[in-house]
Amino acid sequence: MPGVDAAWLRMDDPANLMMVTGLFFFARPVPPRGIRDLVAARLLRYRRFGERAVPGRLGGARWERVEAVDLDRHVLGERLPEPGDKAALERRVSELMSEPLDPLHPLWQFHVVQNCVGGTAVVVRIHHCVADGIALMQVALSLTESGDGQGALVPHAAPALGGPLRRIGIGLLCVGTLLRMTLRPADPRTPQTGPPGIAKGVAWTPAIPFEDVRAVKDALDATVNDVLLTAVAGALRRHLVERGVRPAALDLRAAVPVNLRPERHMDKLGNCFGLIFVALPVGIADPLERLRVLKARLDALKRSTEPLTSLAVLRVMGHLPRVVQGLLVRLFGSKITAVMTNVPGPRTHLTMAGERVDGILFWVPQSGRAGLGVSLFSYAGTVRVGVAADRGLVPDPGGLVRAFEAELDALRAAAGVPSRES
């Protein structure tokens, strides 16, 4: 097993399971047999889904082929209790996020949940050591079909490193970046930080028209990412104020994954991403000023070597003794409050097992003491924002979701953009 994948395998902790969790919404019922047949025909073509992960005694790990994949163990049908509403689905996804995968078997499961707002939801749980979020979304979308009958792929972009001299220069820059990352102070203690527990909670927004977000970013000469992360920072601010914290001049860091996989390797599993550490200006109350500051910080990070440096650190960590890796995870984990992802998904509706997929969400795991994850996923002309949080730190993730919607409305108003109903 490559070092970076082994690092994610050994990062598992009961209070922070290293699972990528996906959620597919269907307005109509989808039988578990249809999903099972699809998994057998398409997912098992990937060798990794027929292997279990075996950690090494001192460092590293390896993949071991299982004799046969028991689909009854990996594709499970269940039914939400009445009234089968969104709140019931959020509770069930929260439970599954807190439940570890069995290490004696391949590290993945599909839960086909019936009686879900009149239709079906499919909850996909895959361990991070199998692949990163971008690669796993490619895998999940290979189970779907677009209007032209072809498997749909997530858009991607990875930077080119150039020739040998440029790579040497980048390597020297990475050394300096690693020093700065190591010496960076820990994030301030707030009600959103602290030792995480086992119980997790999730919540998500309704589908937001993508054109609404695009109109705001055009009016403010920003990017979609700038707008969404500004609203997230504002939501964190509102949450702190509600809990009696005065966030004046407060910055909270978020670790944001950056895809580093070359286009020619997009069909490969494993982990090939770096991280940038974004200082969210939650202390700024004015949404326009907050966007201006955050945009400047994001623009600077796009030119930095933080992604390459963090990927190199993960590769080394996977070969170190577990105790040393644990110390490094706690060191770098203390420097963030949240993990945030923003993935542009397919622009048109897809089908899975013959039924239309009405919505998609996914969450990547947190690590260290980070107990908060925010996922932004665009699909078929809409965007959804999902929050996954440690129950002991953020008892009501739905409150953060409502705060995000309020902050997006504030940005619309400040930009002079009217809202449109989806």
Side-chain angles (χ1 to χ4, degrees):
M1 184 183 297
V4 63
D5 301 339
W8 286 108
L9 174 66
R10 299 188 307 153
M11 217 180 292
D12 238 346
D13 183 275
N16 250 331
L17 298 173
M18 294 296 106
M19 290 187 303
V20 178
T21 303
L23 181 59
F24 292 76
F25 304 94
F26 300 83
R28 292 162 51 89
V30 178
R33 170 62 65 177
I35 301 299
R36 177 191 168 113
D37 291 346
L38 198 59
V39 165
R42 298 190 186 179
L43 189 74
L44 295 185
R45 292 183 301 184
Y46 294 91
R47 180 180 178 86
R48 192 68 73 236
F49 288 89
E51 298 175 326
R52 69 188 189 100
V54 182
R57 292 185 177 181
L58 297 178
R62 60 185 173 85
W63 292 108
E64 182 179 87
R65 189 76 176 170
V66 300
E67 290 187 6
V69 177
D70 182 1
L71 287 179
D72 290 336
R73 174 184 292 275
H74 291 278
V75 183
L76 307 173
E78 56 184 274
R79 185 177 180 84
L80 281 183
E82 295 296 339
D85 56 6
K86 179 174 179 282
L89 179 60
E90 288 178 340
R91 286 193 295 272
R92 183 54 183 144
V93 176
S94 300
E95 292 170 353
L96 290 171
M97 277 193 176
S98 308
E99 181 182 306
L101 295 162
D102 188 342
L104 298 180
H105 298 273
L107 295 173
W108 59 273
Q109 277 188 327
F110 283 59
H111 300 259
V112 186
V113 185
Q114 308 289 1
N115 190 38
C116 175
V117 198
T120 298
V122 176
V123 185
V124 183
R125 303 191 302 145
I126 304 176
H127 200 283
H128 210 319
C129 70
V130 175
D132 56 37
I134 287 289
L136 289 179
M137 189 52 63
Q138 301 276 6
V139 170
L141 292 180
S142 74
L143 305 180
T144 71
E145 292 181 343
S146 59
D148 58 6
Q150 302 298 315
L153 298 178
V154 176
H156 61 273
L161 296 184
L165 290 178
R166 176 168 169 76
R167 287 196 291 270
I168 291 171
I170 290 175
L172 293 174
L173 287 173
C174 286
V175 172
T177 299
L178 177 59
L179 182 61
R180 289 194 299 274
M181 292 168 62
T182 303
L183 297 178
R184 185 177 288 157
D187 240 19
R189 291 300 298 267
T190 73
Q192 298 158 352
T193 60
I198 292 176
K200 308 302 176 188
V202 302
W204 54 83
T205 66
I208 300 166
F210 193 77
E211 283 304 317
D212 281 8
V213 182
R214 188 192 304 275
V216 174
K217 71 100 174 172
D218 289 343
L220 299 178
D221 191 26
T223 67
V224 168
N225 202 42
D226 295 336
V227 171
L228 293 175
L229 286 183
T230 297
V232 169
L236 293 176
R237 175 187 173 82
R238 287 177 182 246
H239 183 257
L240 290 174
V241 170
E242 289 171 0
R243 299 182 72 170
V245 176
R246 295 181 178 180
L250 179 65
D251 287 343
L252 296 178
R253 291 191 201 92
V256 179
V258 176
N259 178 38
L260 297 176
R261 181 178 277 101
E263 185 173 354
R264 66 184 182 277
H265 293 157
M266 287 305 294
D267 60 339
K268 296 184 181 297
L269 296 183
N271 289 270
C272 191
F273 73 96
L275 296 167
I276 57 174
F277 296 83
V278 183
L280 302 173
V282 299
I284 300 177
D286 178 69
L288 294 183
E289 176 63 13
R290 190 188 320 125
L291 183 143
R292 186 191 67 79
V293 172
L294 182 55
K295 176 177 171 55
R297 293 176 180 178
L298 287 170
D299 288 346
L301 283 169
K302 291 173 186 176
R303 300 186 295 270
S304 79
T305 55
E306 278 196 6
L308 292 170
T309 303
S310 57
L311 177 58
V313 169
L314 284 167
R315 284 174 171 159
V316 172
M317 282 172 53
H319 296 291
L320 296 174
R322 186 183 294 270
V323 64
V324 179
Q325 176 176 328
L327 291 172
L328 290 173
V329 169
R330 286 192 290 275
L331 172 65
F332 289 104
S334 70
K335 303 176 190 300
I336 62 171
T337 293
V339 175
M340 298 185 184
T341 61
N342 183 7
V343 175
R347 297 179 181 178
T348 59
H349 280 100
L350 309 173
T351 62
M352 179 187 291
E355 294 294 341
R356 191 175 89 159
V357 179
D358 288 308
I360 305 174
L361 262 175
F362 85 102
W363 294 268
V364 297
Q366 291 77 61
S367 61
R369 74 170 187 174
L372 181 62
V374 180
S375 168
L376 307 121
F377 192 87
S378 60
Y379 169 67
T382 65
V383 61
R384 291 180 191 265
V385 178
V387 172
D390 185 87
R391 284 286 191 192
L393 301 175
V394 183
D396 178 24
L400 268 175
V401 165
R402 292 187 293 274
F404 171 85
E405 293 178 278
E407 284 295 328
L408 192 56
D409 286 340
L411 274 169
R412 285 194 194 105
V417 175
S419 175
R420 297 187 301 122
E421 294 296 326
S422 58

